[in-house]
């Protein structure tokens, strides 16, 4: 039966040989001596790096916001200089900010049932009243709106 120390040594050796060498470009194993030797050390280093990553992301976000503010100011000056309107820029009004794809255009009705139901004859399934009428032998032209 193998002891826990064997597994720890094996894990350290594998980490040193593959991950660290590939990740940091270290080819000499003596350079790896300061590396973490326990799971707690590794976890503390991960936590430290996560904190550094969070700080860098925050800095990047702040820089992005500063650049954005500058771009917005520059655009406002150009809009005022050239007297452009939202319509000129093909922008939606503030009240109805919907994308072009989100706005559904209804087709005009082409067929009407005796009960007043309508159908455009477009894509999708036919309404039940059409399928029942066609199954009963009635032509589709009987329901056309003229």
């Amino acid at each position: 039966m193998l002891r826990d120390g064997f597994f720890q040594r094996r894990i350290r050796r594998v980490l040193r040989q593959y991950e660290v060498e590939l990740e940091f470009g270290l080819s000499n194993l003596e350079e790896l001596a300061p590396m973490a030797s326990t799971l707690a050390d590794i976890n503390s280093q991960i936590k430290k790096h996560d904190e550094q990553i969070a700080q860098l992301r925050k800095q990047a976000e702040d820089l992005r916001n500063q650049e954005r503010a500058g771009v917005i100011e520059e655009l406002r000056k150009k809009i005022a200089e050239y007297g452009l309107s939202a319509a000129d820029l093909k922008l939606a009004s503030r009240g109805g900010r919907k994308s072009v794809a989100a706005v559904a255009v209804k087709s005009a009705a082409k067929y009407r049932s005796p009960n007043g139901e309508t159908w455009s004859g477009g894509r999708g399934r036919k309404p039940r009243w059409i399928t029942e009428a066609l199954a009963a032998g009635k032509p589709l032209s009987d329901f056309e709106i003229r």
Side-chain angles (χ1 to χ4, degrees), residues 12 16 20 24 26 31-38 41-42 45:
R12 271 188 241 128
R16 286 179 183 157
V20 177
F24 299 108
L26 301 173
E31 295 175 27
L32 301 176
M35 296 297 294
S37 60
T38 66
D41 291 341
I42 292 172
Q45 285 186 0

Side-chain angles (χ1 to χ4, degrees), residues 110-119 127-134 136 138-145:
K110 295 180 184 176
Y111 305 98
R112 178 170 293 140
S113 74
N115 297 336
E117 300 167 308
T118 59
W119 178 51
R128 187 180 347 188
W129 58 270
I130 289 280
T131 54
E132 289 173 355
L134 293 174
K138 294 184 181 179
L140 192 57
S141 60
D142 287 355
F143 302 101
E144 287 181 359
I145 300 174

